[in-house]
Amino acid sequence: MSEINPLLQKFDHPPFSKLKTDHFKPAFEKSLKEARTEIESIVLNSDSPTYKNTIETLEFSGNQLGRIASIFFNLNSAETNPEIQKLAQEISPLLSEFNNDLLLNTDLFEKIKHVFDNKSTHDYSEEQLMLLEKIYKNFTRNGANLDKEKQARLREIDKLLSLTSLKFGENVLAETNNFQLHISDESELEGIPDTVKESAKELAKEKGKEGYILTLDFPTFIPVMKFGKNRGLRKQMFLGFGSKAFKDNEFNNEENVLDIVKLRLERAQLLGFESHADFVLQERMAKSIDNVEIFLDDILEKALPAAEKEIEELKTFALECDGIRDFQKWDKAYYTEKLKQKTFDLDEETLKPYFELNQVIDGMFEITSKLFNLSFKKDETIDVYHKDVITYKVFEDDKYLATLYADFHPRAGKRDGAWMTTYKDQFNHDGLEERPQVSIVCNFSKPTKKKPSLLTFNEVTTLFHEFGHALHAMNAKTTYPSLSGASVYWDFVELPSQLMENWCYEKEALELFAKHYETNEVIPQDFITKIKKSSNFMEGLQTTRQVSFGKLDMAWHAIKNTESIDDVKAHESKAFKSTELLPEVNENCMSTAFGHIFQGGYSSGYYSYKWAEVLDADAFELFKEKGIFDKSTALKYKENILQKGGTIEPMKLYKKFRGKEPDPRALLKRAGLITD
């Protein structure tokens, strides 16, 4: 008797504990076949095409396929292994082929076009019109109007892109895992926090070695760069991090970067756009390359003079402290932290005992409860993919709203960084409302035998950021899954996440969760004052850095031909020229590990972090004006932003919430880059 495949049974929450890697391939094959049959039924329907029998039927097709794909690709990010990575290389082309078969189905497109062309004769809701337009554009923007020869090339490009992006990510993960710096002498670790040393010691012990092993995981890398007195050690770590996938080995990503850029450009030009950025920005609030470049340059104009002044301040400080005459990139974080401590008498390590992970989570939930009447109940009966994952049932006024998965600590099978994702989106269909299953994934220090997981203030804001994305998904109240939650324009998607970070700086909010993990003492008022004052410390440098990443993204994707680009590092250096304030490091290259734009969804969209900062600074001004826990402001925000997803054009939603368009000066004022 053959084994039952849990992915092919009816399930609500993913059946993680029953899953084996070899369940995925047959599950994908069967669900792909079912999805094709569902599409075929639309095409073969002899009735005249209508919104219901064409648009809605298409929207709700392939549900099982979507769920299996979400489980598989989330595991490939958060709990991967060589078998899953190998399978991803087999599965991705199958999904690309299915997607192309769908979007290049002439008969299906004719039916969609019929509904689209006759929309003025029907009284569709705003959400229905948005879905119709989204589906119609999805087809035209993916080759529905191309001739057969060009469609065949488009299929080939999409298949190659999916495989190359996967390989890019695998190489970065391999390079991160392969770096292990073994330190025998504890004196080399002077200045590095005890919690980091304890983790490094435990890792060495696991590997059967004496001493300490330092890795490139953020909870190790960042404290070493900020606090490690040993300049040579900082340099080794900096070069290890910055040279990921740029070394002369099997994990080098230079060719993958060039291939992705060339394929994206060819794809855009096949579809009638001059560049990949032109193609992407047609569906963004920014609309055009010119608008993005003007936006970035306007911010840079305010930030760069401040950044130049700040870097000179750091150089002078390093010379005074330690006689450093050749200030380098691996010195920046260390002397920034030292100068911050001196200026504000505030030490990151002094703050950490007030930010024990579980207390921060409880405080974050309490803030959310005050704002949106949500409650979070831990539920250990929900299946998880790793023992570190915590699960909650989320309720709104005692009615079930969503399930939240939280995965907080680094491990070998998990990629760097932090992200929000979903295992099921919210939607309404046939009178039944499906509530979402949402996951936040971070990489915070693990508890050690001596101490719990204590967060840096930056990690606290990271947690609130991802939780802001989760709130967007959990509060969704739409009809269609593809318009639900965070399914919005990419330069609008960061508003809920970045807005949530603002509560981390407010006294009323901090007092709810910032309590010393040993004494339960509430964080002292002078610490809160210092946190607020120091929030703009070196803001010129921080802003210039973010703008430089946006410029690098556009340098790769706004180009109209790639003939002259054969050197990844040279192209990157040219993009960074206007923002580079310290000597170049030849061994390092950001592009080869820039997962946001070469593996994630941020190609031609990295500017959106700053774009959304304008929105969040302006939005939080209203909360400051009315009170940071003001129920009526929170309700307006929930009803107009969190619940609406992508059902209405984002600027309309923003104006419904705020009563006006955002004021860009709000960001510059908050950053301390302008005073009035």
Side-chain angles (χ1 to χ4, degrees), residues 249-365:
N249 63 19
E250 61 184 303
F251 305 117
N252 184 291
N253 264 339
E254 289 171 272
E255 196 176 321
N256 289 327
V257 166
L258 293 174
D259 286 347
I260 290 168
V261 169
K262 286 171 184 174
L263 287 165
R264 282 174 175 168
L265 177 61
E266 185 186 350
R267 189 183 196 284
Q269 291 181 342
L270 262 179
L271 293 164
F273 295 87
E274 287 190 60
S275 71
H276 177 69
D278 285 308
F279 170 76
V280 170
L281 292 168
Q282 188 189 58
E283 292 295 287
R284 298 289 190 265
M285 290 176 80
K287 299 299 180 197
S288 72
I289 293 170
D290 280 352
N291 286 345
V292 171
E293 288 178 344
I294 289 165
F295 171 72
L296 291 174
D297 285 340
D298 280 352
I299 294 175
L300 189 62
E301 185 187 345
K302 305 287 189 305
L304 193 58
E308 288 167 341
K309 189 179 166 191
E310 289 161 5
I311 208 75
E312 289 309 312
E313 198 179 342
L314 284 177
K315 286 179 179 178
T316 302
F317 182 64
L319 182 62
E320 287 170 1
C321 287
D322 298 312
I324 303 290
R325 295 184 180 280
D326 61 329
F327 194 87
Q328 301 291 335
K329 289 185 177 180
W330 48 86
D331 298 316
K332 182 168 154 278
Y334 177 72
Y335 288 103
T336 297
E337 189 60 32
K338 274 182 81 95
L339 184 55
K340 186 178 179 182
Q341 287 175 22
K342 184 185 174 191
T343 306
F344 301 102
D345 189 24
L346 186 68
D347 174 355
E348 191 175 272
E349 287 303 298
T350 307
L351 290 176
K352 276 175 75 173
Y354 294 95
F355 298 126
E356 190 271 324
L357 175 59
N358 292 311
Q359 285 182 179
V360 177
I361 294 166
D362 289 346
M364 184 171 72
F365 289 166

Side-chain angles (χ1 to χ4, degrees), residues 129-270:
L129 283 170
M130 185 64 88
L131 180 68
L132 176 57
E133 190 168 301
K134 185 174 180 174
I135 287 175
Y136 179 76
K137 277 186 176 177
N138 200 20
F139 275 74
T140 57
R141 283 168 57 80
N142 285 283
N145 289 324
L146 296 180
D147 62 38
K148 293 294 179 194
E149 191 181 330
K150 286 180 178 176
Q151 286 187 351
R153 179 56 187 158
L154 192 75
R155 286 173 180 273
E156 201 177 337
I157 289 170
D158 286 343
K159 186 175 176 181
L160 288 168
L161 273 171
S162 73
L163 288 172
T164 313
S165 292
L166 266 178
K167 188 64 188 162
F168 178 96
E170 287 171 11
N171 286 348
V172 175
L173 182 62
E175 285 276 84
T176 303
N177 288 338
N178 288 347
F179 181 94
Q180 293 193 343
L181 185 57
H182 183 216
I183 304 291
S184 304
D185 184 353
E186 189 181 354
S187 68
E188 290 187 47
L189 304 179
E190 187 181 348
I192 294 169
D194 288 342
T195 49
V196 177
K197 290 197 283 191
E198 281 169 34
S199 296
K201 195 168 191 174
E202 285 178 15
L203 181 58
K205 198 173 178 184
E206 281 173 31
K207 303 282 182 186
K209 293 186 176 181
E210 292 291 319
Y212 308 82
I213 289 180
L214 300 177
T215 69
L216 296 178
D217 291 326
F218 283 168
T220 298
F221 174 73
I222 291 170
V224 171
M225 298 310 296
K226 277 187 171 183
F227 303 108
K229 192 172 182 183
N230 183 335
R231 195 182 187 211
L233 177 64
R234 294 201 309 270
K235 181 178 179 180
Q236 276 182 281
M237 292 290 285
F238 183 86
L239 293 179
F241 192 89
S243 63
K244 280 193 284 191
F246 187 56
K247 295 185 279 294
D248 187 14
N249 63 19
E250 61 184 303
F251 305 117
N252 184 291
N253 264 339
E254 289 171 272
E255 196 176 321
N256 289 327
V257 166
L258 293 174
D259 286 347
I260 290 168
V261 169
K262 286 171 184 174
L263 287 165
R264 282 174 175 168
L265 177 61
E266 185 186 350
R267 189 183 196 284
Q269 291 181 342
L270 262 179

Side-chain angles (χ1 to χ4, degrees), residues 59 75 322 325-326 380 433 438 475 558 602 656:
E59 171 70 359
L75 285 178
D322 298 312
R325 295 184 180 280
D326 61 329
E380 293 179 0
E433 183 177 18
V438 182
N475 282 284
Y602 281 86
K656 278 187 176 183

